[in-house]
Amino acid sequence: MSYYEVYKKYKNLPLEKILNDVSSQAAKSAIDTQVQDENQLLALLSPAAENNLEEMAQSACRLTQMHFGKTIQLYTPMYLSNYCDNQCAYCGFNAKNNVARMRLSLEGVKKEAAFISSTGLEHILILTGESRKESPPAYIKECVRILKKYFSSISIEIYPLMEKEYAGIIEEGVDGLTIYQEVYDEAIYEKVHKAGPKKDYLFRLNAPERAAKGGIRNINVGVLLGLNDWRREVFFMGLHAKYLQDKFPDVEIGASMPRLRPHPGDFKIPCNVSDRNIAQIIIALRIFLPRLGLSLSTRESSQLRENLLPLGITRMSAGSSTKVGGHTIEFPEMSNPPQFEISDTRSVVEIKEMLARKGYQPVLKDWLRI
Amino acid sequence: MADLLSIGGKAISNRLFIGTGKFSSYQLMKDALESAQAEVVTVALRRVDIGSKADNILDYIPKKSIIMPNTSGARNADEAVRIARLAKASGAGNWIKIEVIQDNKYLLPDNLETLKATEILAKEDFVVLPYMSPDLSIARRLVDAGAAAVMPLGSPIGSSRGLKTKELIEIIVNEIKIPVIVDAGLGRPSEACECMEIGCAAVLVNTAIAISSDPVNMARAFKEAVDAGRRAYLAGLTPVDKYANPSSPLTGFLRDGFAHL
């Protein structure tokens, strides 16, 4: 059994029609129903629910406080490498893009770690482009050996691994996995991932389950908003998160829903997702899964991030750079491109001040490697 | 004579223990702890930044409080034991609240793993306070294993559902000789009061204070409720009766007599 079995159950249903047919009564009663199932999620994501956004938001805010308190977990991404074997139409690291490729040396990792650590952050997300050859598991492990001297929690966002490889990296000190399916619709997935190992939809889809079996403690799934109709995509992501919560009750599950941003390349974003839609997504996911971690990307503007906070956000990145060695390393410029453009460029200090102003405690450390 | 609770060789007068998660700032947490005059405060070791790159939560806990680190994040006895040892090594004292949880949905403790961890840590001279599902036979085994108190849940952590396990907790209170501290699920001061009225030695509250819109006053309200409940327990509650009882059945005629004067 894998999540794919669940996905198959729903993928051929006329979801658009089902969503459009949700009555305003059904949308309203989904807010405080005791039954947490696919019908509730559809009702919360439906066009009819747009009329209840304020009421839904109140409920989402209350649920978030019950489960997470008035706190926001802070972390930052650290890019190790931008070598990539894939050709994702929407990504700055696309193998076809004519950009300089680089990988941090272990010295460089130390330098970046020392800088990020000096900002007070304790949770870090390490990222690579998806090249098993240029950033193999052995390299990731070497980096983790260094990083665990600086950080309490290390998550990875790299190419999908085998269960044994996950176990090895976890043994080394990794506790979290972020892996976005990007788009759950198989046909669109096939189309936007033009070449490379990432074309294997199932291997990616099942990665969280392999990591959970390998002993991971946190899993973050995600969709890239803009590749397909958002309601459909968030529906499948929500069910994926629930499936993982039910199957692995000792693993914390989180979700992200970054909107596509401009990047080096000529990809046109196919589907529009408005700020209002983003708000509905966060609210719907919170009500559907009250203990789901929800993070908010720096792709969004500082103003929008602040407004969305109380609707259900539990984690935020701060002081972000999406470049390899972006904090301390001067690569012979011209060509160290970011994976995507950041909109909220505020430092850790600025984000902490903003959170305090809004009545949230910035949580820098919430993990212990034992 | 002072009514003191004795745990691990310490005499405690404030029977409201407070947890430190979910507050909107450390300062507000500190104000709430001070307002309730907290003497025992629990902190998740995973939240403590011993190297203290930035703010250290321990700096916001009143100096005279007993810090009771907890093993939040542990999924089995082995992990709980390792966290407890780290807590001790970091200078957080020898009190430990054992939390072993494998189910993030209900956050219900694993009593068997909790018992195993208690056996190990009590032998290492920890003052062990295990968080548990209220079950008499496990409570007895925890006593035998050397627990300093038992901490049965009132309802799931953070749920504010109140004292749903009252019947089971009353049984434990009646049958075992070490302090019974209700931990988790209390949403209102009246529920904390009820715990004390039935003879619990103390209660531990976190969410209901931390996410209140006025944690400082809510902490105080819980403290007063705990004091009231304890005082009522010591005074001896009157038995519950099915029918009305006149308040002066033997001398009522005198009052009636005065009425005719």
Side-chain angles (χ1 to χ4, degrees):
Chain A
M1 175 76 180
S2 94
Y3 175 61
Y4 191 59
E5 304 301 317
V6 180
Y7 171 77
K8 275 199 302 196
K9 234 172 87 183
Y10 298 100
K11 70 172 190 168
N12 292 322
L13 292 180
L15 287 178
E16 199 184 338
K17 182 174 182 326
I18 295 172
L19 280 156
N20 283 328
D21 287 351
V22 172
S23 68
S24 60
Q25 187 51 44
K28 250 193 178 351
S29 52
I31 302 173
D32 45 28
T33 172
Q34 295 300 311
V35 190
Q36 187 195 43
D37 64 6
E38 65 279 15
N39 292 322
Q40 182 200 20
L41 181 56
L42 283 167
L44 293 167
L45 291 171
S46 68
E50 284 188 34
N51 300 323
N52 310 326
L53 272 193
E54 181 58 34
E55 192 187 342
M56 285 166 65
Q58 301 283 345
S59 178
C61 180
R62 191 179 51 78
L63 285 168
T64 310
Q65 287 197 5
M66 288 280 284
H67 287 263
F68 296 89
K70 297 175 181 175
T71 69
I72 297 286
Q73 171 72 55
L74 294 184
Y75 71 99
T76 209
M78 175 173 168
Y79 281 71
L80 299 176
S81 163
N82 66 357
Y83 287 96
C84 194
D85 300 337
N86 295 316
Q87 293 175 29
C88 311
Y90 48 80
C91 179
F93 289 173
N94 185 323
K96 277 268 170 105
N97 285 357
N98 186 21
V99 296
R101 301 290 166 169
M102 54 202 79
R103 185 183 98 166
L104 280 186
S105 66
L106 297 181
E107 265 317 298
V109 171
K110 246 184 232 171
K111 211 169 153 191
E112 285 281 286
F115 175 82
I116 294 169
S117 168
S118 73
T119 66
L121 290 176
E122 284 279 349
H123 288 227
I124 194 160
L125 172 66
I126 54 177
L127 297 95
T128 63
E130 298 200 358
S131 172
R132 189 178 259 279
K133 184 164 150 266
E134 299 293 342
S135 44
Y139 167 73
I140 305 288
K141 281 189 190 173
E142 281 185 294
C143 294
V144 170
R145 270 197 282 278
I146 294 168
L147 293 168
K148 67 187 180 188
K149 295 183 191 140
Y150 294 88
F151 302 102
S152 303
S153 166
I154 303 170
S155 296
I156 51 169
E157 186 168 351
I158 64 173
Y159 48 89
L161 301 177
M162 307 289 286
E163 184 183 325
K164 261 197 178 151
E165 293 171 322
Y166 278 126
I169 279 179
I170 292 161
E171 180 67 31
E172 202 59 66
V174 166
D175 56 274
L177 169 74
T178 289
I179 188 157
Y180 297 169
Q181 189 61 22
E182 323 286 17
V183 57
Y184 282 85
D185 184 293
E186 275 178 288
I188 298 174
Y189 186 94
E190 173 69 20
K191 203 170 107 195
V192 295
H193 300 112
K194 294 175 189 299
K198 194 168 173 178
K199 284 201 90 63
D200 191 340
Y201 175 93
L202 260 185
F203 189 66
R204 193 174 190 85
L205 189 73
N206 292 333
E209 292 170 62
R210 291 195 300 275
K213 287 177 189 153
I216 204 84
R217 299 300 304 269
N218 293 281
I219 292 174
N220 203 46
V221 295
V223 283
L224 270 181
L225 296 176
L227 291 176
N228 186 16
D229 172 61
W230 64 267
R231 290 194 158 93
R232 201 180 157 86
E233 286 299 316
V234 174
F235 173 69
F236 283 115
M237 181 179 73
L239 288 189
H240 194 183
K242 181 176 189 313
Y243 170 87
L244 292 170
Q245 280 190 346
D246 291 345
K247 186 162 178 183
F248 304 103
D250 61 343
V251 180
E252 297 286 351
I253 308 297
S256 308
M257 47 279 149
R259 274 192 290 194
L260 277 172
R261 299 263 308 158
H263 69 97
D266 56 0
F267 181 69
K268 294 237 172 353
I269 299 168
C271 299
N272 186 44
V273 184
S274 69
D275 290 357
R276 192 179 173 79
N277 299 151
I278 293 270
Q280 188 178 356
I281 291 168
I282 293 168
I283 294 167
L285 287 170
R286 170 58 60 238
I287 296 174
F288 179 55
L289 299 174
R291 67 193 162 95
L292 181 73
L294 283 174
S295 40
L296 199 50
S297 169
T298 45
R299 297 169 200 234
E300 304 298 348
S301 72
S302 49
Q303 198 192 1
L304 183 66
R305 281 179 113 204
E306 287 181 28
N307 286 329
L308 293 174
L309 260 183
L311 305 187
I313 299 304
T314 62
R315 306 190 325 139
M316 281 179 104
S317 51
S320 299
S321 163
T322 60
K323 291 180 179 184
V324 175
H327 297 282
T328 59
I329 318 258
E330 290 297 322
F331 280 104
E333 214 33 87
M334 178 62 223
S335 46
N336 181 10
Q339 188 190 21
F340 56 84
E341 294 292 337
I342 287 173
S343 174
D344 185 352
T345 55
R346 285 176 294 181
S347 68
V348 177
V349 173
E350 289 168 321
I351 293 281
K352 279 169 70 177
E353 281 170 1
M354 176 277 286
L355 290 173
R357 228 176 26 248
K358 295 251 160 196
Y360 288 91
Q361 181 192 151
V363 173
L364 298 172
K365 178 175 181 294
D366 191 19
W367 194 243
L368 180 68
R369 203 173 296 110
I370 54 171
Chain B
M1 203 176 77
D3 169 39
L4 297 175
L5 168 61
S6 172
I7 296 179
K10 305 258 186 182
I12 299 155
S13 62
N14 185 345
R15 293 167 183 267
L16 171 64
F17 296 7
I18 299 185
T20 52
K22 297 185 177 175
F23 283 91
S24 65
S25 72
Y26 284 163
Q27 186 58 48
L28 190 59
M29 175 192 87
K30 184 177 184 219
D31 295 344
L33 293 174
E34 283 173 354
S35 145
Q37 300 165 296
E39 285 180 52
V40 180
V41 177
T42 188
V43 184
L45 195 68
R46 62 193 268 182
R47 292 286 292 275
V48 178
D49 187 354
I50 296 160
S52 195
K53 287 178 186 172
D55 267 2
N56 186 339
I57 189 169
L58 299 179
D59 295 339
Y60 290 82
I61 296 174
K63 291 284 170 276
K64 56 181 188 208
S65 313
I66 298 166
I67 292 179
M68 176 168 67
N70 67 60
T71 64
S72 162
R75 293 173 297 181
N76 52 46
D78 178 53
E79 290 177 357
V81 166
R82 281 150 71 189
I83 294 172
R85 288 173 182 157
L86 278 172
K88 201 188 214 176
S90 69
N94 67 337
W95 282 46
I96 191 80
K97 179 188 152 199
I98 298 180
E99 269 186 49
V100 179
I101 292 173
Q102 291 145 13
D103 185 330
N104 293 337
K105 187 169 187 180
Y106 300 103
L107 295 175
L108 293 175
D110 179 324
N111 278 351
L112 287 179
E113 291 292 313
T114 302
L115 175 62
K116 279 189 215 162
T118 302
E119 280 165 351
I120 295 167
L121 292 169
K123 283 186 192 135
E124 296 180 14
D125 289 331
F126 279 91
V127 175
V128 185
L129 296 96
Y131 170 58
M132 63 171 310
S133 281
D135 175 283
L136 179 61
S137 57
I138 287 286
R140 284 186 168 134
R141 285 167 192 260
L142 287 166
V143 174
D144 293 344
V150 289
M151 304 186 77
L153 58 97
S155 50
I157 294 177
S159 68
S160 291
R161 296 174 69 84
L163 186 56
K164 297 291 183 200
T165 55
K166 185 175 176 184
E167 301 280 332
L168 296 168
I169 288 181
E170 276 183 309
I171 291 171
I172 296 176
V173 167
N174 290 339
E175 298 302 323
I176 70 166
K177 302 292 176 226
I178 62 175
V180 177
I181 301 167
V182 172
D183 175 7
L186 302 180
R188 295 157 189 267
S190 54
E191 293 155 0
C193 184
E194 189 180 9
C195 293
M196 301 310 295
E197 285 173 356
I198 64 172
C200 293
V203 299
L204 192 151
V205 179
N206 184 352
T207 304
I209 295 173
I211 70 168
S212 150
S213 47
D214 183 353
V216 174
N217 267 311
M218 188 56 83
R220 180 78 179 272
F222 268 99
K223 165 76 165 77
E224 288 170 2
V226 165
D227 285 348
R230 177 67 186 173
R231 196 175 282 271
Y233 171 73
L234 293 176
L237 293 175
T238 50
V240 177
D241 204 343
K242 198 170 173 186
Y243 305 103
N245 275 314
S247 51
S248 314
L250 303 178
T251 56
F253 71 95
L254 293 175
R255 198 180 53 216
D256 290 346
F258 290 130
H260 292 295
L261 286 176

